[in-house]
Amino acid sequence: MAKKQMSREGFDKLQQELTYLITVKRAEIAQKLKEARSYGDLSENAEYDEAKNEQAILEGKISELQAMVDNAVIVEDDSISLDEIGVGSVITIRRVGTDKIEQLKIVGTNEANVKEKKISDESPIGKAAMKKKVGDVFIVEAPVGELKFEVLEISK
């Protein structure tokens, strides 16, 4: 897995979820398996099969999160540039030819949340905006054609 940039906040959330799954969810599933075993014959035991399936899904999720944590490159707030757009930047952009101004935060892939105006550095707008400075215009290829955006402000 390639190294991925993410904010300290995103890393901490990931770490919390991983700890919860390992300490709480594993114990819950182990208890379900124990109860299911107590029902007798495992070959016809739906509760046991369901608990084993749940355990497999959980272990897959734990492995995925552990790989993300192991390959995280944390971008600390004090290292976020106000001169050029990068992960952690809060950008104010205007679609060229319109009065539509938007403020977005560039985050790592696993932190993206459109409702919170957090876009991934690998999304079309995020990727096109990287390394741009205030006053720069960048182009995003979209299904409706090319969209041009002007960078109005970069903050943290």
Side-chain angles (χ1 to χ4, degrees), residues 25-39:
K25 289 304 280 182
R26 262 190 185 157
E28 285 176 7
I29 291 177
Q31 185 59 39
K32 282 183 182 178
L33 283 167
K34 185 177 174 185
E35 286 174 22
R37 272 193 216 100
S38 73
Y39 299 145

Side-chain angles (χ1 to χ4, degrees), residues 106-148:
I106 309 289
V107 295
T109 308
N110 60 325
E111 299 174 75
N113 184 329
V114 178
K115 289 180 188 151
E116 294 176 11
K117 300 275 188 189
K118 293 179 179 179
I119 63 167
S120 164
D121 59 333
E122 295 177 11
S123 69
I125 291 176
K127 191 182 288 187
M130 296 300 277
K131 307 283 185 208
K132 299 296 185 274
K133 297 174 177 9
V134 172
D136 286 354
V137 172
F138 61 92
I139 297 170
V140 176
E141 294 292 333
V144 295
E146 286 185 349
L147 302 177
K148 289 183 183 179

Side-chain angles (χ1 to χ4, degrees), residues 80-82 88-92 103-104 134 153-156:
I80 297 170
S81 170
L82 295 177
S89 296
V90 174
I91 61 171
T92 304
Q103 190 173 59
L104 304 167
V134 172
E153 185 183 355
I154 302 170
S155 60
K156 296 183 192 184

Side-chain angles (χ1 to χ4, degrees), residues 70-100:
D70 292 346
N71 291 291
V73 177
I74 300 165
V75 178
E76 298 290 358
D77 284 351
D78 57 1
S79 70
I80 297 170
S81 170
L82 295 177
D83 299 326
E84 128 180 323
I85 297 171
V87 171
S89 296
V90 174
I91 61 171
T92 304
I93 57 175
R94 179 180 59 83
R95 185 159 163 207
V96 175
T98 71
D99 293 332
K100 186 174 184 216

